[in-house]
Amino acid sequence: MGQYYLAVDIGASSGRHMLGYLEDGRMKLEEIYRFENGMDRVDGKLLWNTNRLFAEIINGMKKCSELGKIPVSMSIDTWAVDYVLLDEHDQLLGDVYGYRDHRTDRMDEETGKLIDEKLLYTKTGIQKQTFNTIYQLMAVKKNTPELLDRAKTFLMLPDYFQFLLTGSKASEYTNATSTQLVSPVLFQWDEQLMERLGYPKEIFLPLQTPGTLVGRLKEEIQKEVGYDLDVILCGSHDTASAVMAMPRAEGESIYISSGTWSLMGIESPKAIITDEGRISNFTNEGGYDYRFRFLKNIMGLWMIQSVRHEYQDAYSFAALCEMAEENKDFPSRVDVNDDMFLSPDNMTEAIQQYCMNTGQKVPQTVGELAAVIYQSLADCYGRAVQHLEQIVGKAYDSIYIIGGGSNAAYLNQLTANATGKTIYAGPGEATAIGNIMAQMIRNKELKDLPNARKCVFESFDIRVFVPEEEAAH
C-alpha cells in the first residue's frame, strides 16, 4: 500500500477530508471527516466564517491521528473568487464576503468606466460574472477604500488557510485566474490592468503552480494535530482539481463538473479568446500544467439544494430525482442562469414567480419543482453544448460528468437526451481525487497527468448513459 495523502475539499455547501493512497496501482479513497458549510447572513451581509472553517480543517486533520493514518502531504481546495485582505500583522481586514452577497451589484458598471468589457475579456479571457473578484475589489474601493489602503497581502481562501497552517504565503495560479485579473499569456497577475483599476498591485504575490510546496506545519499546529507533513498547492480552485480527475487518458471530450455549479467545457492548450466566446459567456480558467479550461458557468444543483433546504431537507437527492421523473410531463421551464436564482430569499417562490411571469404552469409540489429544475438544467446543457461546438468548430461524441452531480442518474439521462451525446458519469469525488493527483504526481507516485487520469479510469466506477432514442434502436 502506498503512502497517504490528505485532500481537504471545501465546497460552498459542505467540506470533506479525504485520504487517498495507491494499492496495486489503483487509487483508493477514504472519507474521514465531513462538515457543513454555508454563508452566514450577518447584518444583511453574506459572509464566510473563516475561523469556523479553519477549526473544521484542524478537526479533520486530527482524525488522521486518531485513525493512525498519517499523510505525507495535504492540500486544500475551495470554490473560486472569494478572498481575504491581510494587514501588516497578517490579521484579517474587514469582513470575508461570500460571492452571493449583493455588494457587487452594479460594480460591473463602475469597472466599465475604467476598462471596456470587450477589452477586459481580451486581456483575461474570463467571462463576466457579477461576483468575480475584480468586481468584489471594486466594491471595496468604492465603499471601504481604507481597507485597500491598509492591505499588505491579498490571498484567495485556500491560500489563506494554508498560510494559517504553515505561516508561509503562496498564491496558486488556477484559482487566481477566477479573479479576472490574470494574464492568460504571462500566467501571472496583469499589473497594467490593476493600475488601470486602481488596485494596489504590491499586495498580490507571484503565482505558483499546483505541486509547489507551501511549507511544513507550524509548531503549534503540529502539537494540536499530532504530526507534521508537507502542505502542497493543488489546483486550489475546486473545478481545476475536478477536471484533473476527468477519467479520459486520451482524446478529447466535453466535461461537466457538476456540483453547486455546473461547469461545462473542454480542455485547451491555449486560451480561446473570441468575440463569440465573450458574447456566449465562455471563460478561460487556468488548469493544471497551464492547460485552459474553456467552459461556461451554469447554475448547477444550487437550485435543487435550495428547494431541498426549504422543505427542511426531508428528501434525499435520490428521492428528488425519483419525484422529478414521476413528474416528467410537467411542462414548465426556467432559465437557470437568470439572476433571480443566484441568491433569492426563497428558491421555491422564485421558480414559481418565474413561471408566473412567463405565463407557464406554476409548479406546486416538490416533485413538480424538481422536474422543472432538472429538465431546465438539461435544456441549458443542450444549448451550451451547441454554443461550445460552434465556437471551437468541432463536434464531440461524449460528455464526462464528474463531481457530486454525477450521482444524479435522472439528470444524467436527461443530459444524454438533451445533448445527443453518450454520458460517462463519475467519479463523484472528482475534486478530492484531483487534489490528491497533484500531490501524488509531485511525490512521483504517479508519473504525469495522462498517467494519473488512466489510474482514475481504472480505479473508480464510471456509469454510461446513452440518449434514449439511440437506446431504443
Side-chain angles (χ1 to χ4, degrees):
M1 199 170 86
Q3 307 178 89
Y4 289 108
Y5 300 85
L6 176 64
V8 181
D9 168 28
I10 310 177
S13 52
S14 70
R16 61 204 67 69
H17 287 57
M18 307 284 284
L19 279 176
Y21 56 94
L22 289 180
E23 190 175 78
D24 302 326
R26 295 192 172 199
M27 192 189 290
K28 303 283 187 183
L29 275 191
E30 183 185 345
E31 181 183 301
I32 58 163
Y33 190 71
R34 184 177 277 264
F35 56 93
E36 288 294 308
N37 192 21
M39 299 172 202
D40 296 332
R41 204 174 279 278
V42 183
D43 303 329
K45 300 181 278 198
L46 284 172
L47 306 177
W48 296 112
N49 184 337
T50 50
N51 290 339
R52 184 179 69 79
L53 284 172
F54 188 64
E56 293 287 22
I57 290 168
I58 297 294
N59 288 341
M61 289 171 71
K62 285 181 187 166
K63 206 83 189 148
C64 297
S65 278
E66 289 167 29
L67 295 167
K69 296 178 176 180
I70 307 300
V72 290
S73 66
M74 69 175 287
S75 192
I76 301 174
D77 65 77
T78 74
W79 62 97
V81 305
D82 290 338
Y83 65 92
V84 299
L85 294 174
L86 303 180
D87 67 13
E88 69 273 24
H89 304 298
D90 293 328
Q91 298 303 304
L92 284 178
L93 280 169
D95 295 311
V96 183
Y97 278 89
Y99 59 86
R100 292 187 196 274
D101 185 84
H102 285 287
R103 71 183 177 141
T104 53
D105 293 354
R106 313 202 68 143
M107 287 303 148
D108 55 334
E109 293 166 25
E110 293 296 330
T111 307
K113 291 173 188 172
L114 300 171
I115 183 164
D116 170 68
E117 212 171 276
K118 206 169 169 178
L119 178 59
L120 182 58
Y121 188 78
T122 306
K123 280 177 81 63
T124 65
I126 297 295
Q127 76 178 116
K128 177 185 169 180
Q129 294 178 113
T130 51
F131 50 70
N132 286 352
T133 323
I134 192 172
Y135 303 124
Q136 294 199 41
L137 289 171
M138 187 55 71
V140 179
K141 188 180 153 189
K142 289 287 166 198
N143 304 330
T144 49
E146 66 282 0
L147 295 183
L148 273 186
D149 293 340
R150 287 179 54 205
K152 285 286 174 280
T153 314
F154 167 98
L155 288 175
M156 304 294 279
L157 286 186
D159 301 331
Y160 173 59
F161 292 133
Q162 289 174 155
F163 161 63
L164 293 180
L165 287 173
T166 62
S168 302
K169 300 184 187 116
S171 275
E172 191 274 321
Y173 161 73
T174 68
N175 205 9
T177 62
S178 75
T179 62
Q180 211 171 352
L181 291 165
V182 172
S183 160
V185 180
L186 303 172
F187 309 118
Q188 284 295 341
W189 301 109
D190 188 325
E191 294 191 349
Q192 287 176 315
L193 177 57
M194 289 173 179
E195 277 172 12
R196 196 165 182 160
L197 296 170
Y199 300 162
K201 61 182 184 197
E202 62 280 359
I203 68 176
F204 296 87
L205 304 174
L207 297 179
Q208 307 202 53
T209 53
T212 302
L213 174 69
V214 180
R216 305 277 286 176
L217 297 179
K218 291 196 288 202
E219 218 167 294
E220 63 266 32
I221 304 280
Q222 286 179 43
K223 283 189 181 126
E224 198 174 352
V225 300
Y227 55 90
D228 195 9
L229 47 52
D230 286 339
V231 178
I232 307 294
L233 294 180
C234 63
S236 66
H237 178 184
D238 50 14
T239 316
S241 274
V243 170
M244 274 186 79
M246 182 167 68
R248 182 159 188 171
E250 295 153 25
E252 294 176 318
S253 194
I254 294 171
Y255 57 78
I256 301 174
S257 177
S258 177
T260 302
W261 290 91
S262 286
L263 301 114
M264 174 188 275
I266 58 164
E267 220 173 33
S268 172
K270 57 178 196 288
I272 300 169
I273 300 176
T274 63
D275 220 34
E276 204 180 346
R278 178 181 67 82
I279 292 159
S280 300
N281 234 359
F282 274 81
T283 198
N284 291 273
E285 292 174 352
Y288 186 81
D289 218 5
Y290 293 128
R291 294 156 186 251
F292 285 92
R293 291 174 289 117
F294 183 66
L295 60 83
K296 189 179 180 73
N297 235 328
I298 298 166
M299 189 63 82
L301 299 176
W302 160 248
M303 293 174 75
I304 198 75
Q305 289 166 353
S306 301
V307 167
R308 181 172 176 258
H309 286 325
E310 284 155 18
Y311 281 84
Q312 277 66 55
D313 296 334
Y315 307 100
S316 69
F317 288 113
L320 289 167
C321 270
E322 277 170 34
M323 288 188 267
E325 196 163 1
E326 283 159 18
N327 289 272
K328 65 173 185 247
D329 295 329
F330 194 81
S332 305
R333 301 283 186 275
V334 299
D335 173 4
V336 294
N337 291 325
D338 192 293
D339 280 349
M340 72 188 289
F341 302 124
L342 188 61
S343 58
D345 293 331
N346 186 293
M347 185 64 77
T348 301
E349 287 168 14
I351 293 165
Q352 291 170 331
Q353 190 62 53
Y354 185 100
C355 292
M356 220 178 288
N357 295 350
T358 49
Q360 301 183 84
K361 195 171 175 186
V362 177
Q364 301 298 339
T365 66
V366 67
E368 288 172 351
L369 286 159
V372 170
I373 291 169
Y374 284 127
Q375 307 239 25
S376 299
L377 257 181
D379 286 356
C380 185
Y381 292 164
R383 288 191 297 274
V385 164
Q386 285 175 345
H387 280 153
L388 176 63
E389 292 185 331
Q390 220 171 310
I391 292 164
V392 298
K394 193 172 189 174
Y396 296 87
D397 58 1
S398 56
I399 298 176
Y400 282 75
I401 299 182
I402 47 182
S406 66
N407 299 318
Y410 178 57
L411 179 57
N412 295 339
Q413 187 59 60
L414 288 178
T415 304
N417 299 347
T419 60
K421 314 273 184 205
T422 301
I423 303 295
Y424 295 90
E429 291 291 355
T431 301
I433 293 167
N435 178 321
I436 288 163
M437 284 162 75
Q439 298 180 59
M440 285 184 171
I441 293 169
R442 179 186 181 272
N443 219 19
K444 300 189 169 52
E445 279 216 62
L446 291 171
K447 189 175 151 210
D448 53 20
L449 186 57
N451 191 271
R453 280 181 167 160
K454 190 167 176 290
C455 174
V456 171
F457 184 79
E458 289 163 0
S459 302
F460 300 98
D461 284 340
I462 313 294
R463 296 180 63 196
V464 182
F465 297 81
V466 295
E468 269 165 343
E469 283 171 21
E470 260 181 50
H473 298 304

